[in-house]
Amino acid sequence: MSEQRAIRLIIGLGNIGTEYEATRHNAGFWFADLAARKAGAHFSHERKFHGEVARVRDGSRELWLLKPSTFYNRSGNAVVALALYYKILPDEILVAHDEVDLPPGSVKMKRGGGAAGNNGIKDIQAKLATPDFWRLRFGVGHPRTLGFTQEVADFVLHPPGREHQQSIDDAMGRALDCVPALVEGQFERAMMKLHSKST
């Protein structure tokens, strides 16, 4: 695990437009915004990368942040465009996204695995022709588990309640603390730090 290549690209998944900003499906965008703010970086629209892009430099290391503007289910177009241009390999990519199979406040990181019904992840896997990238999964809860009658597709396009929002924000803060280790390629240390605090 510790011999893996360092993370060079962090993608936050979400939908563009003010009507989607506060919705659960935009958890990936929230995390990308936090990472940029902490690094003092700013997003700008890059048409050739189909999204908003920010660059973070730390000495000789360079980290790209990407928020696709192609809508959630077509995120792979933006990911593959930037990755090919900067010669970033799949295992140097971290995708941050909402996860209905985890409760609000939980955050898990893993490499590879199935899409579990997440069409954004499915599209990235298809465009990269591999599932072998890292994923940062922010729990937003499942409507059935939380006692809602909504379908999942509708549930993720609504904002979380105040208590759940606070739990998600706390999880993002913990994940943000692990980014320095990830860009140094210290995955074992990052995952131990993240999962020891995660619920």
Side-chain angles (χ1 to χ4, degrees):
M1 189 79 69
S2 59
E3 295 178 5
Q4 294 295 331
R5 279 182 282 262
I7 292 297
R8 296 174 56 207
L9 169 61
I10 295 177
I11 298 117
L13 297 191
N15 287 309
I16 57 170
T18 54
E19 68 269 37
Y20 296 111
E21 282 179 4
T23 65
R24 296 176 179 91
H25 228 16
N26 273 37
F29 274 14
W30 303 343
F31 182 73
D33 286 336
L34 286 172
R37 194 176 307 136
K38 185 174 182 179
H42 301 280
F43 282 99
S44 60
H45 185 73
E46 295 279 356
R47 182 178 291 180
K48 66 183 175 183
F49 299 138
H50 313 287
E52 301 284 323
V53 178
R55 183 176 67 172
V56 178
R57 279 194 169 176
D58 181 13
S60 61
R61 292 190 176 89
E62 194 170 55
L63 174 68
W64 295 95
L65 302 171
L66 170 66
K67 296 191 297 180
S69 58
T70 52
F71 282 103
Y72 199 104
N73 295 352
R74 294 289 177 265
S75 299
N77 292 329
V79 175
V80 77
L82 193 149
L84 282 175
Y85 190 86
Y86 290 111
K87 297 180 173 60
I88 297 172
L89 298 171
D91 63 354
E92 297 173 323
I93 294 172
L94 176 69
V95 181
H97 63 92
D98 56 302
E99 176 61 77
V100 295
D101 291 331
L102 294 174
S106 180
V107 55
K108 302 288 183 184
M109 193 173 80
K110 72 173 185 176
R111 178 174 159 184
N118 186 308
N119 289 324
I121 294 298
K122 194 180 298 182
D123 192 59
I124 294 171
Q125 291 175 344
K127 296 298 193 304
L128 289 177
T130 179
D132 196 33
F133 52 87
W134 290 88
R135 292 160 56 186
L136 195 57
R137 304 154 60 219
F138 289 102
V140 296
H142 192 285
R144 299 297 172 269
T145 307
L146 299 177
F148 297 115
T149 57
Q150 295 163 289
E151 294 300 318
V152 170
D154 185 48
F155 172 78
V156 296
L157 291 178
H158 282 79
R162 184 180 300 175
E163 184 180 342
H164 288 162
Q165 183 68 65
Q166 184 60 59
S167 297
I168 295 167
D169 291 345
D170 291 346
M172 291 199 172
R174 297 195 304 273
L176 206 57
D177 289 341
C178 298
V179 170
L182 294 173
V183 298
E184 293 172 4
Q186 298 181 12
F187 289 88
E188 191 172 346
R189 181 161 70 90
M191 291 178 79
M192 285 180 64
K193 184 174 185 179
L194 182 68
H195 295 157
S196 66
K197 296 179 181 179
S198 184
T199 54

